Amino acid sequence: MRGLQGFVVVLLALFFCLIADAHAEAVPETDTVRRVGVTSFRDKSVTIREWQPTMDYLSSRMPGTHFIAVPLTLPEFEIALAHGELDFVLTNPQHYIIMETRFGVSRLATLVKRENGVTVNRFGGVIFTRSDRPDIQRLEDLKGKHIAAVDRTSFAAFLLQYDLARQVGLDLDKDTHLQFLGFPQDNCVMAVLEGRADAGFARSGVLEAMAREGSIPLSSLRIIQPAPHRDFPFLVSTGLYPEWPLAAAPHVPIDVANQVAATLLMMPPDHPAARSARYYRWSTPLEYQQVQAVMRRHHIYPYDKSEPINLRDVLQQYLLPVAIGLALMVLGLAILYVRTRQLNVALKASRLKLSDMAHQDALTGLPNRNLLEDRLTQALAQADRANSKVAICLADLDGFKPINDKLGHKAGDDVLQDIANNLKATVRAGDTVARWGGDEFVLLITGITDIDQIDETMRRVLAAVARSNTHSGGLPVSASIGVSIFPTDAQAPQTLFKNADAAMYEAKKRGGNCHVLHAAEPVPA
């Protein structure tokens, strides 16, 4: 057995060397190479194709550092981390908790996905069978059937389904015939379609991905006991749990870890690197108590029961070594306590700074796109319950380029800051003024009961922009504003922005310094 383990270690070492060599030509000798282990729940070549663009994004924004995606199965992670061959890990929540306990990795950010216009930072497991199997309708119908799964260590492709089955009194180990086919999860899907298994387990989103790639017809499968999660865009049978975290190994300097987290949080939504790996953006790290609760229910490490220790026997046999050990332990704990307090203070300060960077525009201090999207989602839900209206107002400055060209970018920045301050003073406390980018601002106006409120508010906004001329060198400052109203004009956030953008261009055509309601005539200043 030891010889076999040694052979596996050698193979893995060779694997990492081959990956490093594959990238060596593109990496300057002075660059620091950072290896990011990614759980490969599908084919490893697919994992590299999907995740290397994110690594390239990090490399392009952190000069002197080159990031490489290293696809691994769950058992391979243990060996790689034990030998210090990984700097960061991207894996499922259950595996992260194990790696946190065993190797001291610490989470930096959490994935956020978007499907059919819905943004989600959670996932679940799916239980499926062929659509021509009328004998399998409920979980209880799986008794005596052959079930295809990846392996017992998979959180979304085994443990969640196992936990759900236990809740209805079905013990998969005793009542079914489990077939563990290993990664990728595609193996389980194909086993069901080819009749080698009666049902299968997979992570939510896998079936849709295979259908999108043309690997399977989605209509040939049926979901067993689908869960009715509102606004969740994927087929799912289980509860929902926090998405995958990116975590840093303990040897990575805290400044490097913070820089990686900040770079990912600042990644624009729907960036090409994000689309490659089928996610939308990153968020600050979530908490994983739900995952820990599942692991505790099934006594999974580090929540498995340990053997009881007879303290009296230990003291009788090892009294002197124990006394010396206790003294050293007390000294070590004292040193660790002081060091931990220092690190906690630094970590809290870093997280506060990262939170501000992720949600505020650096120049104006206004909310950025990420925070605006969150507030818009809440505002639409509240308006839907209160039967009120919400307005998205997209304001683009008129003639801002001459100010930059003639007076310089410093003057342009001063003008943008003046406009931001004047706009904040103009709208109500419950409304939001955000910087959309460049010389564009977005106003989120809530609690609208009368359309005349919009006309009056926009006149005040145009006047506020016109007053922001302290640093414009005598050049006029004005704006063209496009307005889209929820729910009369549109209901989906992306449609509201699209309509507001079209109305803004109509205001531009009318000479600027006015606002236009979507599909309405412009109202002069």
Side-chain angles (χ1 to χ4, degrees):
M1 181 60 70
R2 290 182 179 177
L4 179 59
Q5 291 177 343
F7 180 67
V8 171
V9 170
V10 171
L11 283 180
L12 280 169
L14 178 60
F15 170 74
F16 283 113
C17 291
L18 288 174
I19 289 183
D21 291 342
H23 291 82
E25 296 181 2
V27 182
E29 292 183 1
T30 57
D31 279 8
T32 299
V33 175
R34 298 289 184 187
R35 291 179 169 83
V36 182
V38 183
T39 293
S40 182
F41 65 88
R42 299 192 64 195
D43 185 83
K44 287 188 176 182
S45 62
V46 174
T47 302
I48 292 177
R49 184 174 69 247
E50 290 177 345
W51 285 102
Q52 188 55 44
T54 297
M55 304 303 113
D56 295 338
Y57 171 84
L58 286 171
S59 301
S60 68
R61 281 155 179 79
M62 294 178 61
T65 307
H66 188 82
F67 291 83
I68 298 175
V70 182
L72 298 169
T73 62
L74 300 181
E76 289 171 344
F77 260 104
E78 301 248 349
I79 299 175
L81 281 170
H83 288 78
E85 294 166 333
L86 296 178
D87 301 290
F88 298 90
V89 297
L90 180 61
T91 188
N92 73 62
Q94 175 195 348
H95 193 226
Y96 161 72
I97 291 170
I98 295 174
M99 297 299 98
E100 181 184 52
T101 304
R102 190 163 291 170
F103 298 104
V105 303
S106 56
R107 61 188 183 276
L108 304 176
T110 298
L111 279 176
V112 177
K113 296 197 172 185
R114 189 178 181 90
E115 186 78 11
N116 298 326
V118 180
T119 302
V120 292
N121 57 2
R122 297 180 180 275
F123 71 100
V126 62
I127 307 172
F128 56 91
T129 186
R130 281 173 34 163
S131 55
D132 60 357
R133 291 294 300 268
D135 57 316
I136 304 177
Q137 299 290 337
R138 304 174 304 153
L139 286 175
E140 292 87 340
D141 297 334
L142 295 176
K143 190 170 185 178
K145 301 295 192 298
H146 291 267
I147 299 175
V150 176
D151 61 38
R152 291 187 179 275
T153 63
S154 176
F155 183 69
F158 180 74
L159 182 59
L160 292 184
Q161 294 87 340
Y162 186 89
D163 184 61
L164 185 63
R166 290 296 292 266
Q167 294 176 29
V168 299
L170 182 66
D171 188 332
L172 297 181
D173 289 310
K174 297 179 180 178
D175 301 333
T176 69
H177 304 284
L178 291 172
Q179 304 174 12
F180 293 110
L181 306 182
F183 288 98
Q185 294 186 26
D186 306 38
N187 296 339
C188 302
V189 180
M190 300 311 299
V192 172
L193 287 176
E194 294 169 3
R196 291 182 282 113
D198 301 301
F201 298 161
R203 172 195 159 102
S204 60
V206 169
L207 300 182
E208 290 88 344
M210 293 180 69
R212 192 163 47 241
E213 295 164 0
S215 302
I216 63 168
L218 199 56
S219 60
S220 62
L221 296 171
R222 188 180 71 256
I223 307 306
I224 301 173
Q225 200 164 314
H229 295 296
R230 185 180 178 185
D231 296 331
F232 188 70
F234 300 106
L235 299 170
V236 66
S237 302
T238 70
L240 300 181
Y241 296 83
E243 263 290 358
W244 286 21
L246 176 76
H251 67 266
V252 176
I254 188 170
D255 290 343
V256 174
N258 284 344
Q259 190 175 3
V260 168
T263 302
L264 291 177
L265 291 174
M266 296 289 286
M267 175 188 282
D270 206 27
H271 187 277
R275 290 199 301 271
S276 174
R278 301 194 304 278
Y279 65 92
Y280 183 60
R281 60 179 172 89
W282 296 83
S283 74
T284 50
L286 299 180
E287 299 296 332
Y288 291 88
Q289 289 91 340
Q290 288 177 281
V291 180
Q292 293 169 343
V294 175
M295 296 172 70
R296 282 192 173 96
R297 282 200 295 273
H298 299 283
H299 308 294
I300 296 173
Y301 178 86
Y303 306 109
D304 51 342
K305 292 182 178 179
S306 57
E307 289 293 326
I309 299 175
N310 190 321
L311 185 59
R312 178 180 295 179
D313 292 343
V314 171
L315 289 175
Q316 288 178 348
Q317 189 171 358
Y318 304 105
L319 181 58
L320 181 61
V322 167
I324 296 174
L326 286 174
L328 292 175
M329 184 175 66
V330 170
L331 178 61
L333 286 175
I335 296 172
L336 182 62
Y337 175 77
V338 174
R339 180 57 179 158
T340 300
R341 284 185 60 85
Q342 294 173 340
L343 290 176
N344 282 340
V345 171
L347 184 58
K348 288 179 180 178
S350 298
R351 287 184 172 175
L352 285 174
K353 184 176 180 181
L354 287 174
S355 180
D356 289 341
M357 293 171 61
H359 296 99
Q360 290 184 346
D361 174 60
L363 175 63
T364 64
L366 293 176
N368 62 13
R369 289 192 180 199
N370 288 344
L371 183 54
L372 177 64
E373 287 181 359
D374 292 339
R375 290 188 180 178
L376 177 59
T377 300
Q378 297 174 15
L380 295 185
Q382 292 172 358
D384 192 38
R385 291 192 297 268
N387 197 24
S388 62
K389 295 180 174 62
V390 173
I392 283 291
C393 313
L394 180 59
D396 184 87
L397 301 184
D398 302 323
F400 182 71
K401 188 174 185 298
I403 296 176
N404 268 337
D405 293 344
K406 293 181 181 180
L407 304 179
H409 290 287
K410 176 62 170 63
D413 289 347
D414 291 339
V415 170
L416 291 175
Q417 290 172 338
D418 285 348
I419 291 173
N421 292 332
N422 289 337
L423 289 179
K424 283 192 296 185
T426 299
V427 301
R428 299 167 304 176
D431 299 328
T432 297
V433 180
R435 188 179 180 199
W436 194 244
D439 58 349
E440 289 185 320
F441 295 84
V442 172
L443 289 84
L444 173 61
I445 311 297
T446 61
I448 301 169
T449 56
D450 187 343
I451 201 66
D452 291 339
Q453 291 179 250
I454 290 297
D455 293 334
E456 177 60 29
T457 301
M458 291 301 101
R459 288 189 178 93
R460 293 201 308 271
V461 168
L462 290 170
V465 174
R467 290 196 305 272
S468 308
N469 56 6
T470 304
H471 303 282
S472 67
L475 295 173
V477 182
S478 64
S480 299
I481 306 176
V483 182
S484 183
I485 307 293
F486 169 90
T488 55
D489 185 23
Q491 295 188 356
Q494 59 268 34
T495 309
L496 287 169
F497 280 110
K498 179 180 178 182
N499 290 347
D501 188 61
M504 182 271 290
Y505 278 106
E506 179 62 26
K508 288 283 187 187
K509 292 179 182 178
R510 301 292 180 173
N513 196 29
C514 66
H515 75 275
V516 170
L517 271 66
H518 183 249
E521 290 299 320
V523 180

